[in-house]
Amino acid sequence: MHEVSIMMSIIDTALDVAKQNDAQKITKITVEIGEKAGVVKDALEFAFETVTKETIATQANFEIITIPFKGQCISCDHIFTGDNYLVCDKCGNLGKMITGNELRIKSIEVDECV
Ligand SMILES: [Zn+2]
């Protein structure tokens, strides 16, 4: 379950940010995850519970924003969406992924009061 290691690095970053800001508590963490990033949302939420235990992020809200897939054809530049994400629905050539592979922290909210 690689969601746990993903979550650990997210929390590491969040704790660093909190420290730099002298925060006593992390109140919210928002991440953006592409729908083709290969991350299971439920597993990530479960990992969040586990990884934040006994940290200042334990009561934080965790929000996942899903970024929809978008592909662009390498031969005709047509932009397409959909499940068959490597094939252009216009000319049938191969496409490349423009969005949908994201895995990043969008925002971290902290509370400076105890
Ligand atoms: Zn095409």
Side-chain angles (χ1 to χ4, degrees):
M1 200 163 97
H2 74 148
E3 279 80 6
V4 173
S5 56
I6 292 168
M7 205 62 236
M8 278 167 88
S9 75
I10 290 172
I11 295 301
D12 270 356
T13 307
L15 293 176
D16 274 354
V17 170
K19 209 172 167 187
Q20 283 159 22
N21 291 284
D22 290 322
Q24 304 297 320
K25 214 168 123 187
I26 296 172
T27 52
K28 189 173 179 184
I29 298 172
T30 307
V31 294
E32 289 182 322
I33 293 173
E35 63 175 351
K36 305 286 184 191
V39 176
V40 182
K41 225 173 143 175
D42 286 350
L44 200 62
E45 278 163 356
F46 179 76
F48 180 80
E49 303 277 316
T50 310
V51 171
T52 54
K53 248 176 216 155
E54 287 166 34
T55 70
I56 58 166
T58 186
Q59 288 174 323
N61 287 311
F62 182 54
E63 191 185 347
I64 298 172
I65 296 170
T66 305
I67 309 280
F69 162 76
K70 226 185 242 175
Q72 185 172 31
C73 178
I74 52 170
S75 53
C76 76
D77 285 341
H78 175 59
I79 291 178
F80 54 93
T81 57
D83 279 338
N84 197 1
Y85 67 93
L86 283 178
V87 180
C88 174
D89 59 13
K90 208 170 169 188
C91 73
N93 264 307
L94 280 182
K96 62 179 182 212
M97 201 186 288
I98 309 174
T99 65
N101 200 23
E102 293 78 0
L103 181 56
R104 60 180 176 229
I105 298 170
K106 185 166 186 279
S107 65
I108 295 164
E109 287 170 34
V110 295
D111 197 344
E112 280 162 42
C113 310
V114 184

